[in-house]
Every structure is written in structure tokens, then in C-alpha cells.
């Protein structure tokens, strides 16, 4: 158990819908990262937050957004969902803005 | 820009044999290097990391890796594998002023009895 929690574990929805994925980092970790894992793209970095502020942005679509709240949990919002958004979405946390990251169990999103 | 290449997509090996999973990276800045393991239907678990110091890094479950700056490599080794080592292994690099990880495509280690 990494100490990072993600909810829900599974999510099935339809094209065009909007979903929210939630992540709670390890106690004391200030940085949260979001990654997408798919068969064709592999593991891709989406976005990083550090103590509530956006720190880095990767291959994140404009339909996707994220935020980190004062209690340091983070949410990833995916809207206007397409079939190709079906993937595993991982959250990771680290104590600082760099170094080793601890990954949550992931949320498996299926868009039908 | 940074990139990671894992040279083998699949590595079949018999139980108790040694194994090496190869990883090469490209970066214009100093890097930190990681190996993660993913068991079926699970998240990623850190095996080992290189941040600085000794180029030979020891991790969990008997794995080790050697950072070779001149060859821009960070190969993962284990002298004797077990059936339970069957999993997907990812090499990753980070550097610069963010901690974002750039992953390789992964290597599936298949340990046969």
C-alpha cells in the first residue's frame, strides 16, 4: 500500500459525458501528479500540482482539467468524453516537487 | 526534451536464471532515473531510484541497476528470478525543474518454471 488513494476504482460512462477522478496523496506529500496509461500511448504525464499550484503540464487535452485543494487532495475532470479516453488514470504523490513518486491503484475509465 | 527507450518489449526467462532489462535515456539536463514494477491490475511500485552518488543502485526484491552516464543507460538486473517477478517493468526519467516522469514503453518479464 503506497498510501495514495484514488476513487473510484472503476468508472463506466458514455461518450459526451463528464467525470471526476479523485486522489488523496500520502500524508505530508505536497506534490500530486496525474498520468494516463493506455495500450497505444503507454504511460503519459498529464499534469502536476505542488501545494495547490500548477507546476507542470504534459500531454493533457483541453477537455481535461485538474486542481489541487487546500487539503492537498486533487481532482481530475474529464469532459466531452470520447472512446479514446478509455484508459487507466493514475495519481502519484511526492514529498517535494521532484524525486520518487508513490502511485495510487488507479481509476479504470471505460467510455462506451 | 527527455525520452526513454526500453530496448525489449518482452523478456522470457526461466526461474532462477539471471535477467537484465535494458533502458536507455536521452536528456539535455541532469537526470534522476527510476524503475517501477506493475503487477497485473495494480498500480506502479518503485523498485529503485538513482538520484545522485553511487552509480550502482540496489532496490527491493533483489533488483539492482547501474547508471552509466557515458552510455546513457540504466539497465535493471537480478541474479536469480522467481515466478513472482512476472510483471511489467517501466524505466522512467525526470529532470529539470519539475518532477514529472517520462516513462519507457515497458518490458514484460515472463518467468517460466
Amino acid at each position: 500500500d503506497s498510501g495514495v488513494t484514488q476513487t473510484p476504482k472503476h468508472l463506466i460512462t458514455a461518450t459526451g459525458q463528464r467525470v471526476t477522478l479523485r486522489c488523496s496523496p500520502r500524508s505530508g506529500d505536497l506534490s500530486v501528479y496525474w498520468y494516463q496509461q493506455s495500450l497505444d500511448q503507454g504511460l503519459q504525464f498529464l499534469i502536476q500540482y505542488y501545494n495547490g499550484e500548477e507546476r507542470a503540464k504534459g500531454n493533457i487535452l483541453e477537455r481535461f482539467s485538474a486542481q489541487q485543494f487546500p487539503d492537498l487532495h486533487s481532482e481530475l475532470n474529464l469532459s466531452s468524453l470520447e472512446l479514446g479516453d478509455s484508459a487507466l488514470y493514475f495519481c502519484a504523490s511526492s514529498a517535494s516537487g521532484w524525486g520518487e513518486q508513490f502511485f495510487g491503484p488507479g481509476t479504470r475509465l471505460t467510455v462506451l | 526534451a527527455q525520452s526513454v527507450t526500453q530496448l525489449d518489449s518482452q523478456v522470457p526467462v526461466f526461474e532462477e536464471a539471471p535477467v537484465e532489462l535494458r533502458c536507455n535515456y536521452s536528456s539535455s539536463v541532469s537526470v534522476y532515473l527510476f524503475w517501477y514494477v506493475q503487477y497485473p491490475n495494480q498500480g506502479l511500485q518503485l523498485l529503485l531510484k538513482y538520484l545522485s552518488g553511487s552509480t550502482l543502485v540496489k532496490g527491493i526484491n533483489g533488483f539492482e541497476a547501474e547508471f552509466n552516464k557515458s552510455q546513457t543507460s540504466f539497465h535493471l538486473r537480478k541474479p536469480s528470478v522467481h515466478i513472482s517477478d512476472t510483471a511489467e517493468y517501466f524505466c522512467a526519467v525526470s529532470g529539470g525543474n519539475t518532477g514529472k516522469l517520462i516513462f519507457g514503453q515497458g518490458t514484460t518479464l515472463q518467468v517460466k518454471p
Side-chain angles (χ1 to χ4, degrees):
Chain A
D1 185 356
S2 67
V4 178
T5 60
Q6 289 186 248
T7 56
K9 192 169 183 177
H10 301 280
L11 200 47
I12 301 174
T13 188
T15 54
Q17 295 298 304
R18 172 189 171 94
V19 296
T20 297
L21 313 183
R22 182 187 169 100
C23 168
S24 292
R26 291 188 321 156
S27 177
D29 282 359
L30 297 178
S31 202
V32 170
Y33 309 77
W34 286 98
Y35 295 87
Q36 180 194 59
Q37 185 178 32
S38 62
L39 283 175
D40 53 345
Q41 297 290 326
L43 269 161
Q44 299 277 321
F45 166 74
L46 295 178
I47 198 164
Q48 176 194 5
Y49 280 82
Y50 179 79
N51 204 20
E53 300 289 327
E54 183 183 300
R55 172 68 70 92
K57 223 168 184 176
N59 299 323
I60 188 165
L61 300 171
E62 284 192 14
R63 301 183 284 108
F64 295 1
S65 64
Q67 55 184 327
Q68 186 179 28
F69 294 86
D71 67 352
L72 301 178
H73 91 272
S74 178
E75 293 180 356
L76 179 67
N77 300 296
L78 315 177
S79 61
S80 302
L81 285 167
E82 302 175 359
L83 296 177
D85 298 328
S86 295
L88 255 176
Y89 291 84
F90 286 110
C91 167
S93 72
S94 66
S96 65
W98 61 277
E100 64 184 283
Q101 296 175 25
F102 296 87
F103 281 74
T107 293
R108 183 172 294 279
L109 174 67
T110 303
V111 182
L112 301 176
Chain B
Q2 297 166 323
S3 66
V4 176
T5 302
Q6 291 183 240
L7 297 161
D8 306 292
S9 58
Q10 294 189 0
V11 173
V13 63
F14 286 105
E15 194 174 18
E16 297 183 5
V19 70
E20 178 180 79
L21 307 185
R22 298 179 294 165
C23 172
N24 285 100
Y25 70 91
S26 171
S27 177
S28 57
V29 299
S30 295
V31 295
Y32 306 118
L33 293 156
F34 307 85
W35 276 98
Y36 283 86
V37 60
Q38 184 178 27
Y39 298 103
N41 300 314
Q42 293 189 27
L44 283 81
Q45 181 183 8
L46 181 67
L47 273 179
L48 48 78
K49 61 183 183 286
Y50 171 79
L51 302 181
S52 65
S54 173
T55 57
L56 183 62
V57 179
K58 293 192 183 296
I60 63 171
N61 300 341
F63 285 94
E64 64 180 33
E66 185 155 18
F67 171 57
N68 188 319
K69 189 174 182 180
S70 62
Q71 296 188 6
T72 61
S73 67
F74 191 55
H75 301 333
L76 181 71
R77 301 185 183 100
K78 186 169 182 177
S80 176
V81 294
H82 303 288
I83 296 287
S84 59
D85 292 323
T86 295
E88 188 84 8
Y89 291 79
F90 292 94
C91 180
V93 63
S94 73
N97 60 359
T98 80
K100 68 179 184 182
L101 293 173
I102 305 299
F103 286 91
Q105 286 299 305
T107 297
T108 302
L109 176 62
Q110 302 164 319
V111 181
K112 305 175 181 180

